[in-house]
Amino acid sequence: MYANIFLYLISCIFVLLTHSAMLIHVFLNGNYESITNVIVLAVAVILLDITWFILMKMFRHRSCVIDFMLVLILNMSVIFQSCFGGVSLSVKHYITCIVSLVASQVGFKLCRNHKWLQMNKKYYYIAIGVLMLIILTLTGSRSMWIEIGSSITIQPSEFIKPLFVLACATSIAEQQNKRKLACFFVVYENFALYGLTAVICLLQWWCRDLGSLPTFVGIFAVGFFARICYPKAKFSRKTLIQAGVILLIVGLIAMKFAPDYVQERLHTDIWNDKTGGGYQQSKALIAIAEGGLFGKGAGYGELCEVFAYDNDIVFATICEEWGLIFALVSIATIIIMIFSICINPPCSYYHATMSAGVIAYFIMQMSLNIFGSCNLIPFTGVTIPFISAGGSSMLTSGFMAGMLIAVQSPEFSEPVARRHSL
């Protein structure tokens, strides 16, 4: 008991010291017009820290590692977003971070019981179908965004991602429930998942949002291999190699017949087209180089004048103002958070496959943003979870962090059967 209290206090102190050090850096080296801006930012960050520490004592979590890491990275992002181009609390991002914290507890509550999740799997497909209809009918002509007024936008496709993770998750019992089809023994549920994946890919193509497609493919790939490689599945290495080759061929075909705007991104020389297709990436690379290891200083960056500086190329914006070292530290914080489930490994195969899908989501999103900003891959325009601005992304990321918390604090009670009145 005393050891747990000691670790809890040490973790609280570590988070507070990290944020305090960043705020002191802003005070000493930041670009601000009034000290009031720094004070407001500091009060907002420290207040959220302390409030979350108090609320954490009310949560029924076996491990609080993810909770601590979550508030650590979220308040780091509040400081980042509040310093781009000048120090001033980013109220909108601050609110979305609070929403993300709340969403993490919702995800925890809903995903604790793997048996309940399996029993309600059909509703994931229904919910995804409803979201697809919303995208096709309410977002306008071949778009992914719903605009409310002049300042609020919602991206329904973000909400498909956690549902898709749950649809891809499976149990050993489900995969052993094979039925004979012609000369083969198959699992019907797998065909439903393959069909759902194909429909999602078509939707992404129709809405011209192929940048998010690798994230869905990554989640599906993890779920696919979990379905064919479960214990005692008796799949040979040859079968796995064949599956990998098929996925590679499909990827090459997709690149070959990609739309014109994708082909342009694949073959653009950003340095010969710095005012056209290579504008954002060339600016991002220049900003990273100018920031060096330790950055220009909070608020002294110029990349904030480029479109999507706070979401799609946020890694480069952080590098410019805070330096490459601090940008990598923030990414490492997310990686440590998502892999902290190794401290308390999943107790069910369903939770194991679910957590694998969540990790695939986080890793793929971060990789696409970072490598795209650094021109190692074509620019995709996806966000870094917990750091980039955007309410839909923050809500989804928080919920999926809660799914990882649920894996560490599972519930094994049987779902209550519905009573049918006579």
Side-chain angles (χ1 to χ4, degrees):
M1 176 179 177
Y2 293 108
N4 291 337
I5 294 175
F6 176 75
L7 290 174
Y8 178 83
L9 292 175
I10 290 296
S11 301
C12 292
I13 293 172
F14 173 77
V15 173
L16 286 171
L17 287 178
T18 302
H19 293 150
S20 297
M22 293 179 66
L23 292 167
I24 291 173
H25 172 74
V26 174
F27 172 70
L28 296 177
N29 305 304
N31 177 24
Y32 51 87
E33 296 180 356
S34 171
I35 189 63
T36 304
N37 293 344
V38 180
I39 294 174
V40 171
L41 174 60
V43 170
V45 169
I46 301 302
L47 180 61
L48 182 55
D49 279 345
I50 295 174
T51 303
W52 188 247
F53 297 155
I54 295 172
L55 291 175
M56 280 173 57
K57 299 299 293 182
M58 302 169 58
F59 303 150
R60 297 169 59 186
H61 300 171
R62 293 183 183 178
S63 174
C64 294
V65 175
I66 294 178
D67 296 286
F68 278 115
M69 300 300 291
L70 184 58
V71 73
L72 174 63
I73 190 60
L74 284 175
N75 262 340
M76 286 172 66
S77 74
V78 169
I79 298 173
F80 290 147
Q81 294 284 347
S82 299
C83 294
F84 293 154
V87 179
S88 178
L89 175 63
S90 176
V91 177
K92 184 177 180 180
H93 188 72
Y94 186 69
I95 293 173
T96 58
C97 285
I98 295 174
V99 171
S100 183
L101 288 170
V102 174
S104 70
Q105 298 311 304
V106 175
F108 161 69
K109 292 291 186 181
L110 292 178
C111 299
R112 292 187 69 189
N113 193 321
H114 69 96
K115 295 182 179 179
W116 182 84
L117 290 172
Q118 290 172 246
M119 187 178 68
N120 292 280
K121 181 166 284 191
K122 64 180 179 181
Y123 295 110
Y124 312 148
Y125 287 83
I126 295 173
I128 291 173
V130 171
L131 287 170
M132 287 181 175
L133 288 176
I134 291 174
I135 292 171
L136 292 173
T137 57
L138 300 181
T139 57
S141 177
R142 301 187 69 175
S143 172
M144 280 286 187
W145 298 90
I146 297 177
E147 297 184 3
I148 302 176
S150 58
S151 59
I152 299 176
T153 56
I154 300 174
Q155 191 175 10
S157 62
E158 285 293 316
F159 307 138
I160 293 178
K161 293 173 182 177
L163 292 169
F164 188 56
V165 168
L166 291 172
C168 289
T170 188
S171 69
I172 294 177
E174 288 174 330
Q175 293 309 304
Q176 291 178 335
N177 185 23
K178 296 181 179 180
R179 299 181 181 180
K180 191 171 183 179
L181 180 64
C183 299
F184 303 95
F185 288 94
V186 298
V187 179
Y188 288 163
E189 181 194 327
N190 291 349
F191 287 101
L193 177 63
Y194 304 153
L196 176 64
T197 305
V199 172
I200 289 176
C201 291
L202 288 174
L203 177 69
Q204 295 294 121
W205 174 82
W206 173 256
C207 294
R208 297 182 292 241
D209 187 30
L210 296 182
S212 296
L213 189 57
T215 301
F216 287 104
V217 173
I219 295 171
F220 168 75
V222 169
F224 171 77
F225 283 107
R227 287 167 181 264
I228 68 174
C229 298
Y230 64 90
K232 299 182 180 180
K234 298 181 181 180
F235 267 84
S236 64
R237 291 184 178 180
K238 182 179 179 180
T239 304
L240 297 179
I241 293 173
Q242 289 174 345
V245 170
I246 292 173
L247 289 175
L248 178 61
I249 293 174
V250 171
L252 293 174
I253 293 175
M255 292 176 62
K256 177 67 176 179
F257 296 98
D260 292 339
Y261 72 94
V262 176
Q263 296 288 353
E264 182 181 353
R265 291 185 181 181
L266 289 172
H267 302 97
T268 295
D269 183 348
I270 65 170
W271 300 114
N272 290 328
D273 191 18
K274 291 190 290 186
T275 59
Y279 177 73
Q280 283 179 300
Q281 282 179 302
S282 61
K283 288 291 186 179
L285 285 176
I286 292 172
I288 293 172
E290 290 181 346
L293 293 177
F294 304 104
K296 294 180 176 179
Y300 286 100
E302 299 177 1
L303 195 61
C304 59
E305 299 176 1
V306 177
F307 176 73
Y309 70 92
D310 58 348
N311 43 56
D312 295 348
I313 54 173
V314 69
F315 180 78
T317 313
I318 295 172
C319 286
E320 182 184 25
E321 295 196 356
W322 292 82
L324 179 62
I325 292 178
F326 214 101
L328 293 178
V329 167
S330 63
I331 299 301
T333 302
I334 300 176
I335 293 175
I336 292 171
M337 181 186 73
I338 61 179
F339 282 104
S340 65
I341 62 168
C342 297
I343 298 174
N344 293 308
C347 297
S348 69
Y349 194 72
Y350 188 93
H351 270 155
T353 55
M354 182 184 77
S355 60
V358 172
I359 291 173
Y361 159 77
F362 284 125
I363 294 296
M364 188 62 70
Q365 287 274 126
M366 290 190 296
S367 299
L368 290 173
N369 187 291
I370 295 169
F371 295 152
S373 297
C374 297
N375 198 37
L376 296 176
I377 61 173
F379 187 67
T380 56
V382 299
T383 60
I384 296 182
F386 308 114
I387 295 179
S388 296
S392 300
S393 174
M394 293 291 284
L395 177 61
T396 300
S397 298
F399 185 89
M400 296 179 82
M403 294 168 70
L404 293 181
I405 298 173
V407 170
Q408 291 189 319
S409 304
E411 179 182 331
F412 294 102
S413 60
E414 291 286 344
V416 178
R418 295 181 180 179
R419 296 181 178 179
H420 299 278
S421 58
L422 297 176

